[in-house]
Amino acid sequence: MQLYLIRHGIATEAEADTNDTERTLTEKGRQKTRQVAKQLRDKELHFDLILTSPLIRARETATILKEIGLSSQIEEFTSLSPDGDIHTWINWLEEWRKNTTIKGYLALVGHQPDLGNWAETLVWGETKGKLVLKKAGIIGLTLPETGNPVGESQLFLLTSPKWFL
Amino acid sequence: MQLYLIRHGIATEAEADTNDTERTLTEKGRQKTRQVAKQLRDKELHFDLILTSPLIRARETATILKEIGLSSQIEEFTSLSPDGDIHTWINWLEEWRKNTTIKGYLALVGHQPDLGNWAETLVWGETKGKLVLKKAGIIGLTLPETGNPVGESQLFLLTSPKWFL
């Protein structure tokens, strides 16, 4: 199966009186995310499901992906919040694969450095913080069809919007 | 500095009576390589130097990159042949950095699985064969400005022409 890790678009700056979870995408962030989503759609990509961090800037990003037609389904997933644990997601994946017949294309929308770290864990089995993932950037992985994907996945895509648009 | 590893374009099939070193790009290979090169040029990328494997399909790819305007300089580098040793190149890099004032953007044109393995060595310090690099595909790395780049580099781009064009 293919797994796409998508970082949220450009969001408003953190401010002392704003809760980090409440930061929203800027107009430029929305626009660039929309362009990236359209490009993915033009490559005939379609996700069976988008799992998103519950933080607003991630949910807004996931909603844009859905609106552009990349998926009809979004679910919030708590472990996609900053510092979330990949192993919670790996357990979820095992259950999802058991309980769904469609399991080819999955997207996760979340944050850095977590998404880069998750990708490293899936591909190399450990985290070294060496993947650069810009806002609205994308990582594409091929996971083995069965079994634990940690250290068993392949990396076929890593790009920022700059290269992609 | 930024290092771009570029795999040669689609080449003629290996045949019993043809030397592997003599395989040339197909018309489709030329065309796709040209499209990729134009995209890179449109992103205002310019290489101080292109080092290429001496095999014909790689030299043809490097020549297209040059013709499109991505660099004015091509040099053949024996260790970019299949199964070439990265350490020869790392020694070369050290000398190049000493002897040139321009050392910001370097491209290597070569073969798989070598380029993927070289990237893994630069980023993670070891080779696990986990990077998928299609023909005319590109890997982009940021190397530290000084010192040995093995295990000290960052990956910011990995893409096949499919995503890029």
Side-chain angles (χ1 to χ4, degrees):
Chain A
M1 64 167 277
Q2 289 194 356
L3 176 68
Y4 292 81
L5 309 181
I6 302 171
R7 188 177 175 194
H8 64 79
I10 302 164
T12 54
E13 291 298 318
E15 281 175 36
D17 59 349
T18 321
N19 191 327
D20 177 64
T21 60
E22 301 297 321
R23 289 165 55 204
T24 57
L25 296 187
T26 63
E27 189 44 46
K28 192 178 166 193
R30 274 174 215 286
Q31 190 189 352
K32 208 169 254 192
T33 304
R34 219 173 277 131
Q35 285 177 309
V36 167
K38 281 182 185 166
Q39 277 276 46
L40 292 176
R41 186 194 58 194
D42 291 350
K43 306 294 176 194
E44 299 187 355
L45 195 62
H46 191 268
F47 304 121
D48 302 317
L49 174 62
I50 298 171
L51 284 187
T52 179
S53 148
L55 273 61
I56 287 185
R57 59 190 181 278
R59 277 163 41 204
E60 288 184 341
T61 301
T63 302
I64 290 171
L65 300 178
K66 186 182 172 196
E67 282 169 359
I68 295 295
L70 280 167
S71 184
S72 57
Q73 269 198 293
I74 298 180
E75 286 178 24
E76 286 183 33
F77 193 77
T78 310
S79 291
L80 282 167
S81 304
D83 298 324
D85 181 12
I86 189 173
H87 294 98
T88 315
W89 175 76
I90 287 170
N91 292 336
W92 172 91
L93 180 69
E94 204 180 322
E95 287 304 310
W96 185 63
R97 284 171 151 183
K98 277 186 205 157
N99 296 321
T100 181
T101 49
I102 306 166
K103 46 194 169 185
Y105 292 82
L106 178 67
L108 309 184
V109 178
H111 309 268
Q112 271 295 71
D114 306 284
L115 293 180
N117 290 344
W118 285 29
E120 286 186 315
T121 301
L122 291 168
V123 175
W124 287 275
E126 57 182 323
T127 289
K128 293 190 180 179
K130 298 303 190 75
L131 300 185
V132 179
L133 185 65
K134 301 279 186 182
K135 293 187 181 81
I138 304 167
I139 293 173
L141 303 165
T142 304
L143 271 58
E145 292 306 317
T146 56
N148 191 329
V150 170
E152 301 295 334
S153 305
Q154 286 194 308
L155 183 69
F156 65 83
L157 181 64
L158 167 62
T159 185
S160 67
K162 173 188 169 180
W163 299 105
F164 198 64
L165 298 178
Chain B
M1 64 167 277
Q2 289 193 357
L3 176 68
Y4 292 80
L5 309 181
I6 303 171
R7 189 178 175 195
H8 65 80
I10 301 164
T12 54
E13 291 298 319
E15 282 176 36
D17 59 348
T18 321
N19 191 327
D20 178 62
T21 60
E22 302 296 320
R23 289 166 56 203
T24 56
L25 297 187
T26 63
E27 189 44 48
K28 193 177 167 194
R30 274 173 216 286
Q31 191 189 352
K32 210 170 253 191
T33 303
R34 219 173 277 133
Q35 286 177 308
V36 167
K38 281 181 185 165
Q39 276 277 45
L40 292 177
R41 187 194 56 195
D42 291 350
K43 306 295 177 195
E44 300 188 353
L45 195 61
H46 190 268
F47 304 121
D48 302 318
L49 174 62
I50 299 172
L51 284 187
T52 178
S53 149
L55 272 61
I56 288 184
R57 59 190 182 278
R59 276 163 39 204
E60 288 184 340
T61 301
T63 302
I64 290 171
L65 300 178
K66 186 184 171 192
E67 282 168 359
I68 295 295
L70 280 168
S71 185
S72 56
Q73 270 198 292
I74 298 180
E75 286 178 22
E76 286 184 32
F77 194 76
T78 310
S79 290
L80 282 166
S81 305
D83 299 325
D85 181 11
I86 189 174
H87 295 99
T88 316
W89 175 77
I90 288 170
N91 292 337
W92 174 91
L93 180 68
E94 205 180 320
E95 287 305 309
W96 185 62
R97 285 172 151 181
K98 276 186 204 158
N99 296 321
T100 183
T101 48
I102 306 166
K103 45 195 169 186
Y105 293 82
L106 178 66
L108 309 185
V109 178
H111 308 269
Q112 271 296 72
D114 305 283
L115 293 180
N117 290 344
W118 286 29
E120 285 186 312
T121 301
L122 290 169
V123 174
W124 288 278
E126 59 181 323
T127 290
K128 293 191 180 178
K130 298 303 190 74
L131 300 185
V132 179
L133 185 64
K134 301 279 187 184
K135 293 187 182 81
I138 304 167
I139 293 174
L141 303 166
T142 304
L143 271 57
E145 292 306 317
T146 56
N148 191 329
V150 170
E152 301 295 335
S153 305
Q154 287 194 307
L155 182 70
F156 65 84
L157 180 65
L158 168 63
T159 185
S160 69
K162 173 187 167 181
W163 298 105
F164 198 65
L165 298 178

